[in-house]
Amino acid sequence: MTTNNLQVATLGGGCFWCTEAVFQEVKGVEKVVSGYAGGNVPGHPTYREICSGLTGHAEVIQITFDAEIISFEDILVIFMTTHDPTTLNQQGADRGTQYRSVIFYQNEVQQKIAQEVLKQIQPYYNDTIVTELSPLLIFYAATKEHQNYYRENTQQGYCSFVIEPKLAKLRKLHADKLK
């Protein structure tokens, strides 16, 4: 059942395949689209251009969620605890500004909630959280082969070794928020 309380969150936590797989399992999430945001090059960037690190874009997901089922704050807590927000421009072996930890807020309310969540989460980490907070100016959807990647490629090595541990962490820490 869809309500009129749909909201959008745009988050970057390294490779978008990982964050997409995490949020596809979360109760109240209606849709997850992998894409790019935060760049300084006009026009719709290609995956190859993003991978070069020269466009300034981050790999992100755009989540459409029902705020009557899950709050923006809960979305952010899940996000902050299923990737490493303390490594600058890196998640695991993925390195470069395109893999930065970033929250692209849609409005001042989201910005304030994000600031508060970052402050509340910081004591749980030994290192300083480096998650960037930026206004969302434009979101570009990635091509079809980058959408729903984990579900369509579970036998791939990347899925087994990188995505599945994140899903295990999600299931352990946030079992009450899963579909």
Side-chain angles (χ1 to χ4, degrees):
M1 180 177 132
T2 304
T3 69
N4 291 329
N5 206 7
L6 293 181
Q7 295 183 22
V8 174
T10 306
L11 309 170
C15 176
F16 48 37
W17 297 338
C18 296
T19 49
E20 175 192 67
V22 164
F23 282 97
Q24 286 177 327
E25 293 198 10
V26 175
K27 203 177 341 181
V29 170
E30 301 273 326
K31 179 171 73 167
V32 182
V33 178
S34 291
Y36 318 104
N40 50 27
V41 175
H44 195 297
T46 65
Y47 182 68
R48 176 166 276 166
E49 290 168 333
I50 300 301
C51 288
S52 76
L54 300 175
T55 69
H57 291 86
E59 287 194 15
V60 298
I61 55 167
Q62 193 157 77
I63 305 163
T64 303
F65 63 98
D66 185 337
E68 290 181 15
I69 298 171
I70 188 160
S71 68
F72 181 63
E73 180 178 1
D74 286 339
I75 292 279
L76 293 182
V77 169
I78 292 168
F79 170 66
M80 295 300 292
T81 57
T82 55
H83 83 290
D84 184 351
T86 68
T87 54
L88 186 62
N89 301 328
Q90 175 183 347
Q91 287 298 304
D94 293 329
R95 296 170 193 256
T97 57
Q98 66 271 29
Y99 300 115
R100 67 189 180 271
S101 176
V102 58
I103 299 168
F104 288 103
Y105 54 86
Q106 312 276 324
N107 53 46
E108 284 184 30
V109 172
Q110 281 192 352
Q111 180 184 18
K112 287 179 180 162
I113 292 169
Q115 289 168 333
E116 186 58 33
V117 167
L118 290 175
K119 194 162 99 180
Q120 290 172 2
I121 294 283
Q122 179 59 69
Y124 294 96
Y125 288 95
N126 293 326
D127 296 320
T128 302
I129 290 175
V130 296
T131 301
E132 171 188 323
L133 285 179
S134 294
L136 179 66
L137 302 178
I138 190 161
F139 169 81
Y140 297 104
T143 55
K144 185 178 186 294
E145 64 266 17
H146 292 293
Q147 307 300 329
N148 208 30
Y149 189 84
Y150 174 75
R151 289 184 175 171
E152 294 180 10
N153 298 281
T154 55
Q155 301 307 310
Q156 294 286 342
Y158 187 87
C159 294
S160 299
F161 294 109
V162 178
I163 298 175
E164 287 180 12
K166 290 179 184 286
L167 292 174
K169 191 172 188 181
L170 169 73
R171 293 174 188 133
K172 179 181 178 187
L173 296 175
H174 304 286
D176 62 322
K177 301 279 191 264
L178 301 181
K179 292 178 180 173

